[in-house]
Amino acid sequence: MSESILKVRGLTKTFKVPANAAGKNQLRALDGIDLDLARGETLGLVGESGCGKSTLARTLMMLERPDSGSVTWDGVDPFSLKGKDLLALRRRVQMVFQDPYASLNSRMSAADIIAEPWRTHKMMYKTSRDRAARVRELLHLVGLRPSDEHRYPQEFSGGQRQRLGIARALALNPSVVICDEPVSALDLSVQAQVLNLLNDLQKQLGISYVFISHDLSVVRHVADRVAVMYLGRIVETGATDAVFDRPAHPYTEALMSAAPKLDAASRGKRIILDGEVPSPLNPPSGCRFRTRCAHATDICASTVPPAAVDERESGHVAECHHLRRPIELGVPVAVG
């Protein structure tokens, strides 16, 4: 893997919420996240609803401050910065939101929407002519007409709105774009167009993506590597083909068995998980997945699973005491 632009180590984040029946009011959204993002790559982030994907995205965007652990962008801790230094770093990390109908201000023209980040970051162009030229350039870059600068969001289709949202994200020339379910609100044919656009922009501009999605087929199409998240933890990370075709963690195996496949010969037996996802107010001890895992034993309740590395597939890591594939284990961490 090439040089990392983002490194996350031991990241935790809790929120105070109304107490449950047991009197617990600490919701642990992130519980020891380790993650890397290389320059120019797309990292897919998948997992069930409520597993912490959006909280992780907001933390990477510096909208949430973690309780512990570290986030570094090119070796810089964003949470140690203030004022102009923090603002400068924020320019490098932008976001494309899930709903193109809600994320754009209907009272602003396309030109004003694209120019809004420049006003926020005090990067105004010397002349209005320069500003207008850059707006038209960005519209063309995302496949819209330069003449669309005077139109309002309600005059665009869903796919066109998302292209406008992408143009806004690119206005500050970011190094990383976090895509939070960017095509889930779009028709299938439009999804393909937007995904191809993101791929073309990455090749042209060298952008890195963190691509959050619940649609496994979309993730397989766009991601270079995949991180599988469950109840606030990353349980498996690896190259996309390795994670999809040779999952090591029982949860990943169940998740991939549910993914639709066109080739009947490649369809395996569907793995049905018992029970519901535990509440992050009261997560299981040891392995977070053990209450739904058919392979769980006593050690799963008493010890946090080790980070296990597959030496045959560089970068393929999973956290499990009873991996579905033979992988050299790391050192277990005892639960206090």
Side-chain angles (χ1 to χ4, degrees):
M1 188 172 70
S2 61
E3 179 190 2
S4 293
I5 191 171
L6 166 69
K7 290 186 178 182
V8 178
R9 296 292 182 269
L11 198 69
T12 66
K13 178 63 181 178
T14 58
F15 297 97
K16 285 189 176 181
V17 297
N20 63 5
K24 296 186 177 181
N25 68 341
Q26 293 287 333
L27 188 151
R28 177 157 287 203
L30 304 178
D31 188 19
I33 297 291
D34 291 340
L35 208 60
D36 290 272
L37 177 68
R39 293 185 185 280
E41 83 161 348
T42 298
L43 175 66
L45 186 62
V46 302
E48 294 171 279
S49 296
C51 69
K53 301 189 298 296
S54 293
T55 299
L56 178 57
R58 288 178 59 83
T59 305
L60 298 181
M61 285 288 296
M62 295 155 273
L63 300 176
E64 299 283 356
R65 179 173 287 273
D67 300 332
S68 62
S70 64
V71 176
T72 56
W73 292 102
D74 270 338
V76 178
D77 175 8
F79 300 103
S80 67
L81 303 179
K82 295 181 180 179
K84 293 182 179 179
D85 292 333
L86 177 58
L87 200 64
L89 184 60
R90 284 185 184 276
R91 294 172 194 153
R92 301 177 54 199
V93 187
Q94 295 296 302
M95 194 165 193
V96 175
F97 298 92
Q98 176 178 1
D99 188 354
Y101 296 90
S103 60
L104 303 177
N105 189 334
S106 62
R107 296 185 178 184
M108 298 173 67
S109 68
D112 289 335
I113 287 171
I114 292 174
E116 187 177 22
W118 299 332
R119 291 190 293 271
T120 302
H121 289 266
K122 298 178 174 60
M123 296 175 61
M124 300 303 292
Y125 282 82
K126 291 182 179 180
T127 67
S128 59
R129 179 176 296 180
D130 292 339
R131 171 185 176 275
R134 179 55 176 160
V135 165
R136 290 193 288 270
E137 182 182 346
L138 287 166
L139 287 170
H140 177 74
L141 188 63
V142 299
L144 295 174
R145 297 172 301 180
S147 59
D148 288 334
E149 63 179 323
H150 301 298
R151 298 172 66 191
Y152 288 80
Q154 56 269 29
E155 299 178 69
F156 293 101
S157 68
Q160 290 173 327
R161 291 188 191 202
Q162 198 60 295
R163 289 174 184 268
L164 182 55
I166 293 170
R168 177 178 61 184
L170 296 178
L172 296 174
N173 300 315
S175 303
V176 177
V177 175
I178 297 176
C179 303
D180 190 2
E181 301 273 8
V183 297
S184 63
L186 306 177
D187 294 337
L188 286 177
S189 60
V190 180
Q191 285 186 15
Q193 296 171 16
V194 173
L195 292 174
N196 289 336
L197 170 64
L198 290 171
N199 184 55
D200 291 342
L201 291 171
Q202 186 175 57
K203 292 178 180 178
Q204 185 175 346
L205 304 175
I207 303 170
S208 300
Y209 293 128
V210 176
F211 194 96
I212 301 170
S213 180
H214 67 277
D215 190 326
L216 297 178
S217 61
V218 167
V219 171
R220 181 153 201 175
H221 177 71
V222 303
D224 301 300
R225 292 189 306 120
V226 176
V228 181
M229 198 166 181
Y230 183 83
L231 204 63
R233 291 189 67 86
I234 301 293
V235 297
E236 185 165 356
T237 308
T240 300
D241 286 344
V243 173
F244 273 80
D245 296 335
R246 298 174 295 281
H249 194 281
Y251 174 65
T252 309
E253 189 177 31
L255 201 64
M256 298 308 166
S257 77
K261 297 180 179 65
L262 294 177
D263 182 10
S266 65
R267 296 174 193 159
K269 183 180 179 181
R270 175 74 182 271
I271 300 173
I272 306 297
L273 297 177
D274 293 330
E276 299 292 333
V277 181
S279 169
L281 280 170
N282 189 28
S285 60
C287 176
R288 296 290 184 264
F289 184 62
R290 66 177 177 82
T291 57
R292 303 174 73 194
C293 181
H295 311 284
T297 60
D298 290 344
I299 192 174
C300 301
S302 63
T303 308
V304 175
V309 180
D310 189 344
E311 294 184 340
R312 295 165 299 177
E313 293 178 337
S314 177
H316 194 175
V317 180
E319 294 185 349
C320 183
H321 294 292
H322 309 293
L323 292 170
R324 307 302 296 143
R325 301 174 54 234
I327 290 183
E328 182 181 351
L329 297 179
V331 179
V333 180
V335 175

